[in-house]
Amino acid sequence: ADRSAAGEGRADVPLVRPSGEEDPVSETVEGILAAEGLEQFERLALFLPQAGAADLERLYLGLEEQRNGFVDKTLGPALFLRWMRLDPEGGMKRNRGSMAWWAWGKVDPEAAVAAALASKEWWKGAEVVRAIGQSDPGRAQALLAENPQWRTEEALIGLAAGLMPTDPAAGATLVAAASETVDYDKLVSTWARRDPDAALAWAQTLPDQVARVEALGVLIDQWARTDPARIAATLTALPDGWTKWQLYASHAARLAVVDPAAAVAWAQAAPTEGLRRQASLEAARGLVRSDPAGALDILRGLDLSSDQGLPGWKVKGPDGGDHSEVFSASGTVAAVAEAAPEATMALLAGLSEGPETHALVQTAFSTWMRKDSMAASEWLAGQPAGSVRESATVELVDHLSRGVEPDFDAALQWANTLSAENQHVELRTLLIRWRQRDAAAARAALDHPAVPADVRDVLSRMFSKP
């Protein structure tokens, strides 16, 4: 039987586990506060049906004092669902935020609606609607129509939760429109198990391309476990564009972890050159930890020197504008270089000259420098003159002149091996950084005979200023 709102003192009641074994700690407020993890939830579940309002207040204050991380997520909502049934006024006094109003909307919706209307504070009504929407979406929709000021993201997500069992498309559309941070895994996965065709049709209609990729990705993750044959048919049927590119690539990466041969076959069977390239890059990235040599073999089959002639798609940039995005190999090259730096540099050294070659050499060499700067610089010292040595040297000079303990003398020596154009640029950057650390040493370095006269003249005027 319920205790009175005032709450009597409790007799100790042992906690009995499903096995029938009694726990030696009594089921009291103190016992719950002393417990942790699953045991705390078990104790709370047995405590709540017999707890009085005074018990609940003591427990809530104790949890708040502990700064218990589960108060807002699970313990608090369960506690307030009991408290608001016994003593709404007392619960409100202790929690003036959303939890009490949500719980009141659950246990006594009409009283909570009347109180929210009387309060004139919109957020209270929004929390009540969130609670009502989870179990009675029709009532929640009527309340929002009558009180548009209660139409918040939280209220709509509560309504969507109530709609999902009977009208998942309406519920999912409501969530996607209401929130900028949608958990598509939670939103789509249950629906997809029940009605994959409807979930797929809905995901394809999402106007935001990033959201569309996330929602379709959830479906593909499920099918990878339950119906892998469906993945190829679904992706092949998608129109060419950014969505198809992202999903093809991510599926290649997934396969590379569990079945490298299938990942390579998937990439090679892609219907366009652009998709083949991107899927291959992702397959190599997914394979690199378990088989760096296999990842390198995939890269050898691609023309990494250029992205010219590959399709690019308009994507939304951070500024909201449209930008053309093409297939960059830099991320995959960096991952492979982390695992097999010297072999990656040897592969890149064999590339033909192209617009991407310089950047990829610098990416791989920079990765190697961070991992083992001594081995990287020794390798570079043995390279013949040419574009690969030039690109890697630019990266080395930049690396040596930055950081907590820069080596400006070594950076100066390497900079003086560069071609004239790169030498001028790197020397100016190097000497300016050097001056910020040690002005006298940087000024003396200007007199090095290898420093070009025009660089010396410009920097001499700059260094002479206070």
Side-chain angles (χ1 to χ4, degrees), residues 76-432:
L79 188 156
F80 272 93
L81 283 171
R82 172 69 174 167
W83 198 351
M84 297 305 289
R85 189 183 299 277
L86 296 175
D87 181 16
E89 185 177 350
M92 290 291 182
K93 286 180 180 178
R94 284 302 181 188
N95 179 266
R96 300 180 184 276
S98 61
M99 197 183 304
W101 282 93
W102 168 83
W104 199 7
K106 280 284 191 184
V107 301
D108 192 349
E110 295 311 316
V113 167
L117 286 168
S119 76
K120 306 298 183 183
E121 294 185 79
W122 59 267
W123 65 268
K124 295 177 180 178
E127 286 301 317
V128 173
V129 170
R130 177 167 75 94
I132 293 172
Q134 290 167 349
S135 54
D136 187 353
R139 174 65 172 137
Q141 287 172 315
L143 285 169
L144 290 179
E146 296 165 6
N147 303 279
Q149 73 275 18
W150 294 352
R151 192 180 181 86
T152 65
E153 178 181 332
E154 291 77 13
L156 292 175
I157 289 175
L159 170 58
L163 287 170
M164 287 299 290
T166 57
D167 191 353
T173 299
L174 197 59
V175 171
S179 177
E180 294 182 0
T181 55
V182 180
D183 184 345
Y184 283 98
D185 186 43
K186 183 183 295 184
L187 182 64
V188 176
S189 56
T190 302
W191 179 18
R193 284 192 292 272
R194 189 169 67 245
D195 190 348
D197 292 327
L200 173 62
W202 175 82
Q204 289 177 303
T205 65
L206 287 170
D208 181 83
Q209 58 192 1
V210 175
R212 190 163 60 245
V213 165
E214 288 185 22
L216 289 169
V218 172
L219 291 167
I220 291 170
D221 284 341
Q222 280 198 7
W223 294 338
R225 298 187 296 272
T226 62
D227 191 6
R230 184 165 188 165
I231 296 174
T234 299
L235 294 186
T236 301
L238 289 175
D240 286 340
W242 192 78
T243 298
K244 191 170 187 173
W245 165 39
Q246 290 285 349
L247 293 170
Y248 249 88
S250 62
H251 186 52
R254 179 190 300 107
L255 286 174
V257 176
V258 297
D259 189 345
V264 174
W266 169 259
Q268 291 176 342
T272 67
E273 172 61 20
L275 286 174
R276 187 184 77 82
R277 174 187 169 96
Q278 185 63 7
S280 296
L281 289 172
E282 290 302 322
R285 193 198 293 249
L287 188 59
V288 70
R289 287 190 177 183
S290 61
D291 185 6
L296 282 162
D297 284 341
I298 293 174
L299 293 184
R300 289 189 185 98
L302 302 174
D303 178 11
L304 300 177
S305 65
S306 175
D307 60 19
Q308 293 179 351
L310 292 171
W313 290 291
K314 295 294 184 181
V315 296
K316 292 291 182 185
D319 59 358
D322 284 336
H323 298 271
S324 179
E325 184 161 334
V326 292
F327 308 108
S328 172
S330 60
T332 299
V333 166
V336 178
E338 180 73 28
E342 187 165 358
T344 304
M345 292 303 301
L347 182 153
L348 297 177
L351 293 181
S352 58
E353 284 292 324
E356 295 296 299
T357 306
H358 172 76
L360 293 179
V361 168
Q362 287 194 307
T363 293
F365 192 75
S366 175
T367 300
W368 195 2
M369 286 293 299
R370 290 193 299 271
K371 185 175 183 178
D372 188 346
S373 58
M374 183 64 70
S377 57
E378 287 177 355
W379 176 88
L380 182 58
Q383 296 306 300
S387 61
V388 171
R389 181 186 174 104
E390 185 82 1
S391 297
T393 301
V394 167
E395 191 63 32
L396 177 59
V397 171
D398 181 67
H399 176 87
L400 291 170
S401 63
R402 285 187 292 111
V404 178
E405 297 181 358
D407 188 342
F408 293 113
D409 288 314
L412 180 64
Q413 293 177 29
W414 279 104
N416 286 328
T417 69
L418 291 167
S419 61
E421 181 180 357
N422 284 326
Q423 182 192 36
H424 287 206
V425 172
E426 296 304 317
L427 280 175
R428 289 182 63 171
T429 302
L430 158 65
L431 289 165
I432 289 171

